[in-house]
Amino acid sequence: MATRWGICSAGNISNDFTVALKTLPPEDHQVVAVAARQLKNAQEFARKHSIPQAYGGYEALARDPNIDVVYIGVIHPYHMSTCLLFMNAKKNVLCEKPLAMNTKEVKEILACAKRNNVFFMEAVWTRFFPASVEIRRLLAQGEIGDVKIVRSEFGVPLLHVPRAVEKELGGGALLDIGVYCLQFISMVYNGEKPECIQATGVCLETGVDETVVVTLKYSKNRMAVFTCCLSAELPNDAVILGTKGTIKIPAHMWCPTTLVVNGKETPYTLPVPSLPLNFLNSTGMRYEAEEVRQCLLKGLKESAVMPHANSLLLAEVEDEIRRQVGVMYSQDCQ
């Protein structure tokens, strides 16, 4: 029986997620409804993607009895309210990253999931790419010895994009793109909490971070460093350095299609999309979607690949980084 998806919001990322679902077998995944704040936007989205039901407003989607799981693609400041809406309606949820604006909101979301006994996962799609699966396998087998340093960076010119730079829209380099670097480091170090966090950065006039450089120290003298930037294109690679070798994602580390292990390069091909995409390699969202299906089939309430504890850890580290850089959102004062 197919997993029946509801799509919350008709924006760019929801478009790409829906296209990614179409690369999976229709007997396994079906999009049965979409909701947007304005009905005409939902109807246009539904026509484009051949979705049978369109709703004007998220509450109607929450009441739909024919949905197994909801994908939430709204902008950051609305993640918590929409997560709570659907989970209180007993809907399983896959919510885009970053899960929420701060640790307090993340805790409220996770408590709601537990209270309603539903499946919940933060959509950190990077973790489910075949390249990331291979990285975890290589680390578990000690392919590069003991990991000593992890380095990652993500920088793209986004100063012209309102949601990336406006505080009320949840803008800022850390929450928008730096989270990819942080989650990669956390994956390598198995969700361990860093012993020391040192961050510095440059803020825009809007009050959000334009560029942030972070150094993290872990137990056993292991280190990590990452840079995120909204004003310049960086190499956007990631490197894991061990005592016996290295593992490298040479480009677009947030959606990896190439892995270099001790100098040997391995490509990973993504399915061709049936419709135009808004973001690079978006058909790779198929892997997180399939993870959700497998968890639901097994009756699980969270994924072992992206567990609730890791979402909470990311939020806690992000809060400390923002504190040091001097970025505060209205949600931090509530």
Side-chain angles (χ1 to χ4, degrees), residues 135-290:
I135 287 173
R136 293 194 295 273
R137 186 189 71 82
L138 292 170
L139 293 176
Q141 293 185 351
E143 183 70 20
I144 61 169
D146 297 327
V147 176
K148 303 300 293 183
I149 301 174
V150 183
R151 180 186 59 78
S152 178
E153 54 186 37
F154 192 176
V156 287
L158 293 174
L159 296 182
H160 62 288
V161 180
R163 66 163 184 81
V165 299
E166 297 296 334
K167 182 179 284 191
E168 63 270 22
L169 300 181
L174 179 64
L175 290 191
D176 195 40
I177 59 179
V179 63
Y180 285 112
C181 301
L182 182 56
Q183 76 77 27
F184 180 81
I185 293 166
S186 182
M187 181 188 75
V188 173
Y189 287 140
N190 293 315
E192 182 179 323
K193 187 174 183 177
E195 295 180 342
C196 179
I197 302 170
Q198 293 183 317
T200 187
V202 176
C203 292
L204 298 168
E205 291 183 358
T206 58
V208 302
D209 47 305
E210 174 202 292
T211 303
V212 177
V213 180
V214 181
T215 301
L216 305 167
K217 182 180 180 181
Y218 290 82
S219 64
K220 301 178 183 177
N221 295 320
R222 296 169 299 161
M223 301 292 294
V225 60
F226 75 88
T227 303
C228 54
C229 179
L230 295 177
S231 60
E233 186 85 27
L234 299 181
N236 297 331
D237 60 356
V239 183
I240 308 169
L241 300 105
T243 55
K244 297 180 180 178
T246 64
I247 299 172
K248 182 176 183 179
I249 298 174
H252 41 82
M253 55 75 57
W254 70 99
C255 51
T257 54
T258 304
L259 203 60
V260 181
V261 182
N262 293 330
K264 181 180 179 181
E265 181 174 304
T266 302
Y268 296 87
T269 303
L270 291 174
V272 177
S274 58
L275 290 170
L277 298 170
N278 296 296
F279 304 106
L280 179 68
N281 291 344
S282 282
T283 51
M285 287 193 280
R286 73 197 303 267
Y287 303 117
E288 66 179 2
E290 181 59 22

Side-chain angles (χ1 to χ4, degrees), residues 50-99:
S50 301
I51 300 171
Q53 183 66 59
Y55 294 115
Y58 304 145
E59 293 80 5
L61 183 64
R63 292 192 298 267
D64 190 327
N66 299 312
I67 291 172
D68 299 314
V69 57
V70 176
Y71 168 80
I72 294 178
V74 300
I75 61 175
H76 309 160
Y78 299 102
H79 282 184
M80 185 179 74
S81 60
T82 49
C83 281
L84 299 186
L85 169 67
F86 290 111
M87 290 190 294
N88 282 329
K90 308 300 181 182
K91 292 290 190 291
N92 301 300
V93 167
L94 173 66
C95 179
E96 265 305 329
K97 61 80 210 163
L99 179 48

Side-chain angles (χ1 to χ4, degrees), residues 260-324:
V260 181
V261 182
N262 293 330
K264 181 180 179 181
E265 181 174 304
T266 302
Y268 296 87
T269 303
L270 291 174
V272 177
S274 58
L275 290 170
L277 298 170
N278 296 296
F279 304 106
L280 179 68
N281 291 344
S282 282
T283 51
M285 287 193 280
R286 73 197 303 267
Y287 303 117
E288 66 179 2
E290 181 59 22
E291 171 72 5
V292 171
R293 172 173 167 79
Q294 292 305 316
C295 287
L296 293 178
L297 290 174
K298 297 171 184 175
L300 301 175
K301 303 307 177 186
E302 62 181 301
S303 165
V305 179
M306 188 60 204
H308 294 172
N310 212 157
S311 293
L312 181 58
L313 173 65
L314 293 180
E316 291 173 342
V317 176
E318 287 160 3
D319 281 2
E320 175 58 21
I321 292 170
R322 288 196 297 109
R323 186 193 68 78
Q324 293 185 28

Side-chain angles (χ1 to χ4, degrees), residues 2-3 5 16-31 94 128 270-274 282-294:
T3 297
W5 289 87
D16 287 15
F17 183 78
T18 303
V19 173
L21 284 175
K22 294 293 181 66
T23 69
L24 293 163
E27 60 270 22
D28 291 344
H29 296 268
Q30 294 179 2
V31 179
L94 173 66
F128 304 94
L270 291 174
V272 177
S274 58
S282 282
T283 51
M285 287 193 280
R286 73 197 303 267
Y287 303 117
E288 66 179 2
E290 181 59 22
E291 171 72 5
V292 171
R293 172 173 167 79
Q294 292 305 316

